[in-house]
């Protein structure tokens, strides 16, 4: 990205970031690179307070951020003990004994005319018994524990792939810290003691540490995590609590010894009062049980988690508390909240790190002058709110569309009142197979298709344009694509071998 000239009167020259978790160091690394050292950036963090220390699974948008930060893929994989991720396997979600994959990348292959899934729906309506997963190369690779990176050649079936990473969040932050410090970011160790504000504008003018250091700035980024010390503590943004839709409010996390062979996908297994994650890394497997604290005690959650690990636990289980929801305004005056301080949607679809990078992208586009024009903040807040709203609906779908699960959490979620936006989307898909998505939405057609079908919501109709292709031709084309995917999957290396080939 081109450097931005921040010199001159009225321009911001000093930024202070409060917090050195994933959000703080991602922001520091990105801004220091984008502004090419023309801004002075100071980051205050407290080792004594520490970070949430989880956040190990990502989605394919991570490539955009890693490129922006200038990360070399092999060096990044080595430094963060990362593995590849082709999607998420959902076990026992739709109903007990059922499993499906939400794969990255595309279903089928680009064919002229109507979207591929309408071709599949037409063939299904005419009796062809092929699952959606048969048309996802990522799903086929994941099931076979194989891996390949996408091809840039649109004629290759490998071009339908998408991938992300699992990584050690603490090592990722450290890796970004090295980059940020190399770009001139100054880290200050210490606890925040006081926030100085301008008596007229209410703008924050400086942070003071317990040891008496004073960190002045013109723009303050609140990356203080759930504490939200600036955006809530000072600016009182308010919080929209979404726990009536997303009732899990705690997680207990524990790493365990890695399995002999790592799998290129996250596993999410539904449990009585929530769900358990399993995230394979090079040096260990990350695990956690996300649960609803009114239905399960911390001790019960920890016992269930410890009874369901691949290998020996490597630490004591750690409990984290949260409330699903979002800050009503993430940018107020000269304070911008990025990361958990701006809100948290539980980790089911690994969206938090994406939301951090998305906020950094918005901030760079809308980067203010010293007066922090409220119109920029309003635009940022509207875009951030839309991001969170759309992801929220996608997550609710997983909880709501289930069957044969009598436990209170699942019974309650099956019967809860849904957001109108989700009701409309589900209704239209059931009726016509159409996915009514806005252009800015993170989760695109393939993701909604995977989860709607995976959770047992099926389309009765399909797009009328699919009838312009005669049934035999449609069927033959689909079978050809299915077979080509099966062949391509069988030719790819195992996941561990593919990883070793890249990192040496
Ligand atoms: P934190 O990591 O909490 O960092 C806060 C920083 O502020 C720390 O450096 C702290 O020292 C500093 N600080 C706080 N108070 C003070 C003070 N008074 N003085 C000085 N410094 C202070 N995201 C994903 O994308 N994928 C996942 O798989 C995923 N899984 C998750 C699972 C769980 C159970 C949870 C809770 C979250 C998960 N997340 C996940 C979210 C992810 O962990 C966070 O988005 C990410 O770590 C960013 O956190 P943060 O930097 O905002 O906050």
């Amino acid at each position: 990205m081109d450097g931005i000239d921040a010199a001159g009167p009225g321009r911001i020259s000093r930024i202070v970031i409060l917090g050195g978790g994933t959000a703080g160091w991602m922001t520091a690394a990105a801004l220091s690179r984008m502004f090419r050292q023309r801004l002075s950036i100071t980051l205050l963090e407290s080792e004594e307070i520490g970070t949430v220390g989880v956040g190990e699974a990502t989605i394919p948008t991570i490539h955009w951020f890693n490129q922006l930060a200038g990360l070399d893929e092999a060096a990044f994989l080595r430094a963060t003990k990362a593995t590849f991720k082709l999607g998420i396997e959902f076990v026992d979600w739709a109903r007990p004994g059922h499993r499906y994959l939400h794969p990255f990348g595309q279903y089928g292959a680009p064919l002229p005319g109507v979207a591929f899934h309408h071709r599949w729906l037409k063939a299904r309506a005419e009796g062809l018994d092929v699952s959606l997963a048969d048309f996802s190369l990522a799903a086929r690779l994941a099931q076979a524990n194989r891996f390949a990176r996408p091809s840039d050649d649109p004629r290759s079936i490998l071009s339908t792939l998408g991938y992300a990473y699992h990584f050690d969040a603490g090592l990722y932050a450290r890796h970004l810290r090295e980059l940020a410090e190399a770009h001139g970011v100054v880290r200050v160790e210490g606890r925040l003691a006081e926030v100085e504000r301008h008596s007229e504008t209410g703008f924050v003018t400086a942070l003071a540490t317990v040891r008496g250091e004073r960190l002045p700035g013109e723009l303050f980024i609140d990356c203080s995590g759930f504490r939200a010390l600036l955006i809530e503590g000072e600016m009182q943004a308010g919080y929209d609590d979404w726990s009536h839709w997303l009732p899990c409010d705690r997680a207990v996390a524990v790493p365990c010894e890695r399995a002999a062979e790592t799998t290129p996908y996250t596993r999410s297994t539904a449990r009585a009062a929530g769900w358990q994650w399993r995230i394979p890394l090079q040096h260990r497997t990350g695990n956690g049980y996300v649960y609803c604290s009114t239905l399960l005690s911390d001790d019960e959650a920890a016992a269930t988690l410890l009874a369901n690990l691949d290998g020996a636990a490597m630490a004591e289980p750690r409990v984290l508390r949260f409330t699903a929801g979002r800050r009503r305004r993430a940018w107020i005056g000269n304070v911008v909240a990025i990361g958990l301080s701006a809100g948290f949607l539980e980790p089911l679809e690994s969206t938090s790190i994406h939301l951090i990078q998305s906020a950094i992208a918005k901030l760079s586009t809308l980067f203010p002058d010293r007066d922090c024009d409220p119109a920029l903040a309003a635009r940022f807040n509207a875009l951030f709110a839309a991001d969170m709203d759309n992801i929220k609906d996608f997550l609710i779908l997983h909880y709501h569309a289930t069957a044969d699960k009598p436990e209170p959490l699942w019974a309650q979620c099956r019967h809860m009142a849904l957001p109108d936006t989700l009701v409309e989307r589900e209704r239209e898909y059931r009726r016509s197979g159409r996915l009514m998505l806005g252009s800015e939405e993170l989760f695109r057609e393939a993701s909604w298709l995977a989860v709607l079908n995976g959770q047992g919501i099926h389309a009765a109709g399909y797009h009328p344009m699919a009838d312009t292709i005669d049934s035999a031709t449609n069927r033959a084309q689909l079978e050809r694509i299915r077979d080509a995917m099966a062949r391509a999957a069988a030719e790819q290396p195992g996941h561990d071998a593919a990883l070793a080939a890249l990192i040496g």
Side-chain angles (χ1 to χ4, degrees):
M1 180 164 297
D2 285 342
I4 301 166
D5 189 355
R11 294 287 202 214
I12 282 175
S13 61
R14 287 174 305 181
I15 296 184
V16 180
I17 298 172
L18 174 61
T22 316
W25 285 113
M26 283 176 78
T27 307
L31 292 183
S32 60
R33 191 150 198 267
M34 282 189 268
F35 283 90
R36 294 194 185 150
Q37 306 188 20
R38 286 178 189 165
L39 280 175
S40 125
I41 302 178
T42 307
L43 184 147
L44 170 64
E45 70 172 317
S46 160
E47 261 170 31
E48 192 193 334
I49 293 174
T51 65
V52 295
V54 280
E56 300 177 328
T58 60
I59 57 175
T61 52
I62 188 76
H63 300 298
W64 168 84
F65 181 82
N66 282 357
Q67 245 170 26
L68 171 73
L71 301 192
D72 168 75
E73 189 176 36
F76 150 80
L77 286 163
R78 272 192 294 270
T80 64
K81 305 278 185 207
T83 61
F84 294 117
K85 175 179 172 186
L86 290 165
I88 306 176
E89 184 187 34
F90 290 96
V91 179
D92 296 339
W93 272 85
R95 56 181 188 280
H98 178 268
R99 53 179 68 208
Y100 73 95
L101 207 97
H102 168 193
F104 298 140
Q106 298 304 313
Y107 284 107
L111 294 171
V114 72
F116 177 84
H117 80 273
H118 289 288
R119 299 274 219 112
W120 171 68
L121 289 172
K122 172 183 160 81
R124 290 258 297 196
E126 292 167 353
L128 183 68
D129 184 20
V130 283
S131 75
L132 192 56
D134 285 342
F135 293 106
S136 161
L137 187 52
R140 284 179 176 275
L141 289 174
Q143 278 152 6
N145 235 7
R146 295 176 187 273
F147 181 78
R149 284 191 290 170
S151 160
D152 292 334
D153 179 355
R155 289 163 308 173
S156 163
I157 201 109
L158 297 182
S159 68
T160 64
L161 284 170
Y163 76 105
Y165 309 103
H166 305 118
F167 56 57
D168 181 319
L171 295 179
Y172 187 55
R174 196 183 301 166
H175 193 53
L176 292 172
R177 175 179 161 185
E178 280 166 20
L179 285 175
E181 288 182 325
H183 282 110
V185 173
V186 175
R187 175 184 180 275
V188 175
E189 166 64 36
R191 235 176 208 269
L192 176 72
E194 215 179 306
V195 179
E196 287 177 22
R197 308 268 301 268
H198 191 279
S199 58
E200 281 162 30
T201 62
F203 277 23
V204 173
T205 49
L207 305 185
T209 70
V210 169
R211 269 185 286 176
E213 278 151 301
R214 186 175 176 276
L215 311 176
E218 291 111 30
L219 183 67
F220 291 80
I221 317 290
D222 185 352
C223 296
S224 64
F226 289 129
R227 289 176 177 79
L229 295 170
L230 302 182
I231 197 69
E232 196 59 60
E234 288 297 320
M235 310 312 265
Q236 299 179 352
Y239 196 73
D240 282 331
D241 178 339
W242 288 338
S243 50
H244 52 294
W245 284 316
L246 298 168
C248 291
D249 58 354
R250 279 194 200 168
V252 55
V254 72
C256 75
E257 284 170 3
R258 61 161 277 174
E261 206 182 0
T262 58
T263 48
Y265 55 88
T266 302
R267 180 175 296 137
S268 163
T269 305
R271 301 252 175 252
W275 61 277
Q276 180 175 336
W277 79 73
R278 174 189 178 278
I279 298 179
L281 305 179
Q282 291 174 34
H283 59 319
R284 59 172 168 78
T285 301
N287 308 277
Y289 185 175
V290 178
Y291 58 99
C292 184
S293 66
T294 55
L295 300 173
L296 195 73
S297 71
D298 296 347
D299 288 347
E300 288 169 313
T304 303
L305 181 64
L306 291 171
N308 287 285
L309 301 179
D310 285 358
M314 293 168 68
E316 286 300 308
R318 201 158 65 91
V319 174
L320 299 126
R321 294 173 170 73
F322 57 85
T323 304
R326 74 161 146 75
R327 213 56 65 196
R328 289 203 184 108
R329 287 180 295 160
W331 179 343
I332 299 176
N334 66 340
V335 172
V336 182
I338 296 183
L340 296 173
S341 58
F344 181 54
L345 290 164
E346 63 137 277
L348 187 57
E349 284 281 355
S350 330
T351 43
S352 287
I353 290 171
H354 164 81
L355 285 163
I356 294 170
Q357 60 185 70
S358 168
I360 293 169
K362 291 178 189 44
L363 176 61
S364 67
T365 306
L366 298 167
F367 199 83
D369 287 327
R370 283 185 196 194
D371 62 355
C372 286
D373 179 355
L376 299 174
R379 175 85 181 137
F380 182 97
N381 290 332
L383 292 172
F384 176 71
D387 272 359
M388 294 286 276
D389 280 346
N390 292 327
I391 296 172
K392 170 202 78 192
D393 280 9
F394 190 57
L395 299 188
I396 295 171
L397 172 64
H398 299 64
Y399 277 93
H400 154 69
T402 68
D404 304 331
K405 298 207 285 185
E407 297 92 348
L409 171 74
W410 301 106
Q412 176 194 325
C413 289
R414 212 160 31 247
H415 300 297
M416 68 186 165
L418 299 178
D420 293 345
T421 39
L422 180 56
V423 173
E424 285 303 313
R425 184 162 290 176
E426 202 184 301
R427 183 185 300 143
E428 192 53 38
Y429 180 69
R430 281 186 194 277
R431 204 181 65 75
S432 70
R434 283 193 185 84
L435 293 156
M436 313 277 272
L437 303 187
S439 58
E440 303 265 298
E441 289 190 42
L442 170 64
F443 289 107
R444 309 304 311 164
E445 279 80 355
S447 293
W448 280 90
L449 259 183
V451 176
L452 283 164
N453 281 278
Q455 297 287 146
I457 295 180
H458 298 292
Y462 56 86
H463 197 290
M465 229 196 293
D467 282 336
T468 60
I469 305 133
D470 76 79
S471 300
T473 307
N474 187 42
R475 203 178 167 117
Q477 286 179 340
L478 292 192
E479 285 173 342
R480 258 205 308 280
I481 293 170
R482 180 196 60 190
D483 296 347
M485 285 199 165
R487 277 195 306 277
E491 286 164 6
Q492 306 312 316
H495 171 241
D496 285 331
L499 190 58
L502 193 65
I503 64 179

